[in-house]
Amino acid sequence: MQERDLDRPHGVYAAVLTPFDDDEAPDPGALALHCRWLLGNGCDGLSVLGTTGEANSLSVDERLALLERLVDDGIPAPVLLPGTGCCALPDTVRLTRRAVELGCPGVLMLPPFYYKGVSEDGLFAAFSDVIERVGDAALRIYLYHFPQMSGVPLPAALIERLLARYPQTIAGIKDSSGDIGNMLANAARFPGLGVFSGSDELLLPLLRGGGAGCITGVSNVAAFLARTVDQGWRQGDADAAEAAQARLTEVRQAFLSFPLSAALKETLARHTGRGRWRRLRPPLLPLNATDADTLAERLSAIAFTPPSVP
Amino acid sequence: MQERDLDRPHGVYAAVLTPFDDDEAPDPGALALHCRWLLGNGCDGLSVLGTTGEANSLSVDERLALLERLVDDGIPAPVLLPGTGCCALPDTVRLTRRAVELGCPGVLMLPPFYYKGVSEDGLFAAFSDVIERVGDAALRIYLYHFPQMSGVPLPAALIERLLARYPQTIAGIKDSSGDIGNMLANAARFPGLGVFSGSDELLLPLLRGGGAGCITGVSNVAAFLARTVDQGWRQGDADAAEAAQARLTEVRQAFLSFPLSAALKETLARHTGRGRWRRLRPPLLPLNATDADTLAERLSAIAFTPPSVP
């Protein structure tokens, strides 16, 4: 068991889904309800407006409105780790500045992701530009490494340069590469950096290597399992942690081969009885009926249901 | 020589660079000046706000302001084919609607490009959503196929479905894949579709296969060569077309191995004496001094200079 700084974000974060209404508009009330349920069922924090939350399918105004509404609705800003990284730096600056103003303890930041094969100098300039323009000492950035989706990896050499220049600001990394070797290498090389796994099945291996926790889509329905992994590990109960990890991995595998946001929304629609959960904004689409039934059968076969809803 | 519909966009379009001022803000006056120069030196039209123009590094408000200012400054809307495709559909709708209102004869539309591996149904829904929400019979879409950058290819099956449902609206495709086979296959399969090459070196082969022209970055400095290719081909002067194509390809090759927008901006900075041309917005950066000199030497070795500036 390694030490970690409990004053900084750690533990289990859901990569929170974004509910939509009938006209494909985000539904802030339904989002706040879901967030409250997540906090009551195993989540230490909420990474809203990330990949699973379809943030890049939302305009900047829509994202700002959702974030502000969550805080207005009483979701405590200190549990929020919103995604703010856009293709265009002015958008990233605007979202990031507002998140800091609202009291979020950090933001999850994709690199600008349209241009591929950009130089390390260019990526450094991009993050640097955002930090300088936000210009707030309270800013804490969690770099978002998701090469399969963004097409723009964040190599260790870049992290090292950013940490050297902005040691207070660069607080962590979410690693959705699925590569435990990369996560462990970053955790070992940068002891002050909070390394979060984007993969449920890698939570315990990463915690053992000094990681901070996980930020995952499956935590929208199964955060209580990740919580048990995290608590077992913190309390030195290896058996409990391993048993919960095995169960969490089993649940994660039931979702494999389906588009994740659609599969999670389908599961919540069936679980809550709220059919609107099935809505996604194009280019993402709901599961078709066959896939929806197959997924339900797989979850049933492993006797998994999300926690009860109020 | 094949027939083509001269009432629709055709010929040589520059993928117009976006000049920036000292604070990395787009410079609308410099853009208008550049556009005017391009129209006087070989361009049939101007595809502003595309990949070469760093559009995805600009906020939607910045893009709208540039487009409106160009038209205000007297650049005729009928020569404009602006890029309007964003990750978020509300942004795409907003930009597209305004482009149509301003009188642009078409827009160049990337698919939503954050999510990778999305279904053909999802892409169809995305384009369909934009068309329905813009809701203007005057809208003409040029699909933007650039899989190496967007990560989201537009296969022929998708084009076929879109054409079947929106035969008036789906007007063409810009193909930046560099794959002449794909361009020729689309030109042959969809006779009414205006197929533009994003690669200078493929202009003549595509014209011979029924293509509509080219939309390229190198046309920011060498549109007069592409113009000669296009006119030679239209007038049945194969020798002139081939000679100009060979020269254009030679110029294009001088730019190879440099990031294109930076290399074109460097060339214009030296040619015009306006050092501000060197600015790009991160994650793109200006060429370093060594690369800038190497590029200048390569262009000098083939005795290439852009047309004179007023």
Side-chain angles (χ1 to χ4, degrees):
Chain A
M1 197 179 90
Q2 302 200 16
E3 294 299 319
R4 64 180 166 188
D5 182 352
L6 296 180
D7 290 337
R8 308 185 79 173
H10 65 275
V12 178
Y13 279 65
V16 181
L17 292 161
T18 302
F20 289 96
D21 71 13
D22 288 332
D23 191 38
E24 290 174 7
D27 181 339
L31 177 60
L33 198 69
H34 183 54
C35 285
R36 216 174 298 280
W37 178 71
L38 288 172
L39 290 173
N41 287 282
C43 282
D44 294 294
L46 304 169
S47 192
V48 295
L49 300 171
T51 300
T52 307
E54 298 172 70
N56 284 313
S57 298
L58 306 179
S59 71
V60 173
D61 286 342
E62 286 176 328
R63 294 192 228 188
L64 284 170
L66 283 176
L67 192 58
E68 290 170 355
R69 174 68 183 275
L70 277 183
V71 175
D72 281 351
D73 277 1
I75 303 296
V79 307
L80 295 173
L81 200 67
T84 62
C86 304
C87 287
L89 295 185
D91 293 339
T92 304
V93 168
R94 205 172 146 222
L95 283 163
T96 302
R97 184 179 289 142
R98 191 72 187 118
V100 177
E101 287 168 356
L102 288 168
C104 301
V107 298
L108 185 60
M109 197 179 288
L110 279 169
F113 56 82
Y114 179 65
Y115 295 99
K116 307 304 189 289
V118 295
S119 65
E120 190 186 300
D121 284 349
L123 290 175
F124 181 84
F127 283 110
S128 179
D129 221 14
V130 172
I131 294 167
E132 305 289 348
R133 285 172 194 267
V134 170
D136 190 321
L139 172 61
R140 296 291 177 272
I141 292 176
Y142 289 76
L143 303 167
Y144 191 178
H145 176 62
F146 196 175
Q148 295 93 327
M149 198 66 86
S150 68
V152 182
L154 303 177
L158 172 68
I159 301 169
E160 185 161 42
R161 284 177 65 186
L162 286 167
L163 274 171
R165 177 79 167 273
Y166 304 105
Q168 302 305 318
T169 309
I170 304 298
I173 185 167
K174 174 183 175 182
D175 190 328
S176 295
S177 67
D179 177 357
I180 185 69
N182 192 59
M183 296 178 213
L184 293 174
N186 280 329
R189 184 166 173 179
F190 309 116
L193 198 74
V195 180
F196 287 85
S197 169
S199 309
D200 304 271
E201 66 275 21
L202 300 177
L203 173 56
L204 186 55
L206 178 59
L207 291 174
R208 286 179 167 148
C214 67
I215 304 174
T216 70
V218 169
S219 293
N220 280 280
V221 296
F224 65 97
L225 293 173
R227 185 56 158 306
T228 307
V229 174
D230 187 62
Q231 288 195 333
W233 173 81
R234 276 212 274 159
Q235 294 160 4
D237 186 345
D239 288 350
E242 279 167 24
Q245 178 66 68
R247 177 65 170 157
L248 177 60
T249 298
E250 187 179 35
V251 173
R252 176 67 185 94
Q253 282 167 347
F255 285 94
L256 279 184
S257 83
F258 303 105
L260 186 57
S261 295
L264 292 166
K265 285 187 163 183
E266 174 65 31
T267 302
L268 283 170
R270 293 194 184 210
H271 182 62
T272 62
R274 297 183 196 112
R276 279 190 176 178
W277 258 123
R278 291 195 175 87
R279 299 198 175 89
L280 294 99
R281 187 175 272 181
L284 302 189
L285 292 180
L287 294 192
N288 62 41
T290 307
D291 283 351
D293 286 343
T294 305
L295 171 63
E297 285 158 20
R298 283 193 198 165
L299 292 172
S300 175
I302 61 168
F304 175 77
T305 47
S308 62
V309 282
Chain B
M1 196 178 90
Q2 302 200 17
E3 293 298 319
R4 65 180 166 188
D5 182 352
L6 296 180
D7 289 338
R8 308 184 79 173
H10 65 276
V12 178
Y13 279 66
V16 181
L17 292 161
T18 302
F20 289 96
D21 71 13
D22 287 333
D23 192 38
E24 291 173 6
D27 182 339
L31 177 60
L33 198 69
H34 182 54
C35 284
R36 215 174 298 280
W37 178 71
L38 288 172
L39 291 173
N41 288 282
C43 283
D44 294 294
L46 303 169
S47 191
V48 295
L49 300 172
T51 301
T52 307
E54 299 171 71
N56 284 313
S57 299
L58 306 178
S59 71
V60 173
D61 286 341
E62 287 176 328
R63 294 192 228 188
L64 284 170
L66 283 175
L67 191 58
E68 289 169 356
R69 174 69 182 275
L70 278 182
V71 175
D72 280 351
D73 277 1
I75 303 296
V79 307
L80 294 173
L81 200 67
T84 63
C86 304
C87 287
L89 296 185
D91 293 339
T92 304
V93 168
R94 203 171 147 222
L95 283 163
T96 302
R97 183 180 289 142
R98 190 72 187 119
V100 177
E101 286 168 357
L102 288 168
C104 300
V107 298
L108 184 60
M109 197 178 290
L110 280 168
F113 55 83
Y114 179 65
Y115 294 99
K116 307 302 189 290
V118 293
S119 66
E120 189 186 300
D121 284 349
L123 290 175
F124 181 84
F127 283 110
S128 180
D129 221 13
V130 172
I131 294 167
E132 305 289 348
R133 285 171 194 266
V134 170
D136 190 322
L139 172 61
R140 297 291 177 272
I141 292 176
Y142 291 75
L143 303 167
Y144 191 179
H145 176 63
F146 195 175
Q148 295 94 327
M149 199 65 86
S150 68
V152 182
L154 303 177
L158 172 68
I159 301 169
E160 184 161 44
R161 284 177 66 186
L162 286 167
L163 274 169
R165 176 80 168 272
Y166 305 104
Q168 303 303 318
T169 307
I170 304 298
I173 185 167
K174 174 183 176 182
D175 189 330
S176 294
S177 67
D179 178 357
I180 185 69
N182 192 59
M183 297 178 212
L184 293 173
N186 280 329
R189 183 165 172 178
F190 308 116
L193 198 73
V195 180
F196 287 85
S197 170
S199 309
D200 304 273
E201 65 276 22
L202 300 177
L203 173 56
L204 187 55
L206 179 58
L207 290 173
R208 285 179 167 147
C214 67
I215 305 174
T216 71
V218 169
S219 293
N220 281 280
V221 296
F224 65 98
L225 293 173
R227 185 56 157 307
T228 306
V229 174
D230 187 60
Q231 288 195 332
W233 173 81
R234 274 212 275 158
Q235 294 160 4
D237 186 344
D239 289 349
E242 280 168 24
Q245 178 65 69
R247 177 66 171 157
L248 176 60
T249 299
E250 188 180 35
V251 174
R252 176 67 185 95
Q253 282 168 346
F255 284 95
L256 279 184
S257 83
F258 303 106
L260 187 57
S261 295
L264 293 166
K265 285 187 163 183
E266 175 64 33
T267 302
L268 283 170
R270 294 194 184 210
H271 182 62
T272 62
R274 295 181 198 115
R276 278 190 176 179
W277 259 123
R278 290 195 176 87
R279 298 198 175 89
L280 294 98
R281 187 174 271 184
L284 303 188
L285 292 180
L287 294 192
N288 63 41
T290 308
D291 283 352
D293 286 344
T294 304
L295 171 62
E297 284 158 20
R298 283 193 199 164
L299 292 172
S300 175
I302 61 168
F304 175 77
T305 47
S308 61
V309 282

